[in-house]
Structure formats: structure tokens, C-alpha cells
Amino acid sequence: MLGEKIGEISGKITMQRVLPSLGGDPKMETCFQAAGSVLGTNIKDTGTYSIVFRPDGTQYGEGQGIMITNEGETATWTAHGVGTTHTDGTATYRGALYFQTMPKRWSGLNKVAVLFEYAVDAEGNTHSDYWEWK
């Protein structure tokens, strides 16, 4: 069951590169930096994800990153999701994040999947919303 919204961040893609496909589907790596809040705490988020362009036009992605609070506490995350790129250059993805947290106030995130919606506009601006999956 989808729980309450627990966070929202916005940022910018900082780098993209094509990865070797080794006879498989095309693959690309993307890095981003963002800021916002999770569970009422202001954070900066830095992440990297790679996507595989599948034959049906969808994309499968895997990523990892680190969120840092203003006090210097950290939470790392890994994620998996699926999405599409649209003809106007935008892209949308949905999936799940899994946290390993340092801040005690975030310890509940270690026990749940956090569902996300991630969007990128044609200029590389990003926006993510997070919900606890109960």
C-alpha cells in the first residue's frame, strides 16, 4: 500500500555518457545533483544511474547515491526503475529506492521500499517525489 509522501527533491543532470553495450541493448550512464527534503530534513542528493534502452522503447534503470543533511549526516540509496523518453526530450521513471541511513530520525527507511517518480525535462532539470511503501 502506498503510504504518505515523505520527500521531494529537484536538481540538474551533471553528466551523461554512453556505456559499452557488449552485444546487448544500448546503455547510458547519467549523474545528477539535487536538493530538497526527506522526512522534513533538508538534504543534498548526488546520484548516478545507468539505463538500458530496451527493444520495446522502455528503459530499465539502476542507480545509487548519497543524501547529505545540513548537519553532515548521510544516507545512501540504491534504486531500480522503469521509464520512457518522450518525443519532446523529457523522460519519466518510476521505481523503488532502498536506503541505508545514518540519521536516527530516518532509521525507519532501512525497513521499507521507498517508491519514487522521477522526471527530467528537455534541459536536464530533474524532479523526484518519494512515498513510503507500507
Side-chain angles (χ1 to χ4, degrees):
M1 171 193 285
L2 189 61
E4 67 181 80
K5 186 173 179 181
I6 62 167
E8 183 173 358
I9 65 170
S10 295
K12 184 86 173 159
I13 288 177
T14 58
M15 187 275 304
Q16 288 186 302
R17 70 182 183 128
V18 176
L19 299 173
S21 66
L22 303 173
D25 296 321
K27 194 174 192 181
M28 189 164 59
E29 179 179 72
T30 300
C31 297
F32 68 90
Q33 291 184 328
S37 68
V38 172
L39 294 175
T41 302
N42 291 331
I43 57 97
K44 290 187 180 178
D45 187 23
T46 301
T48 301
Y49 61 90
S50 60
I51 56 172
V52 175
F53 293 84
R54 304 190 296 189
D56 68 354
T58 62
Q59 299 159 13
Y60 169 75
E62 296 180 351
Q64 61 279 327
I66 185 168
M67 292 182 177
I68 303 172
T69 69
N70 290 343
E71 295 79 29
E73 297 175 301
T74 61
T76 58
W77 55 264
T78 58
H80 304 275
V82 294
T84 57
T85 299
H86 310 284
T87 57
D88 63 359
T90 63
T92 54
Y93 299 89
R94 284 157 182 69
L97 291 161
Y98 304 93
F99 281 91
Q100 182 174 346
T101 67
M102 180 178 145
K104 287 188 180 209
R105 64 189 170 278
W106 288 3
S107 63
L109 296 178
N110 294 329
K111 303 173 191 169
V112 298
V114 173
L115 301 181
F116 70 84
E117 290 184 350
Y118 176 78
V120 181
D121 70 16
E123 288 77 42
N125 298 302
T126 67
H127 184 83
S128 297
D129 292 302
Y130 303 120
W131 294 268
E132 181 182 354
W133 187 9
K134 294 185 174 196

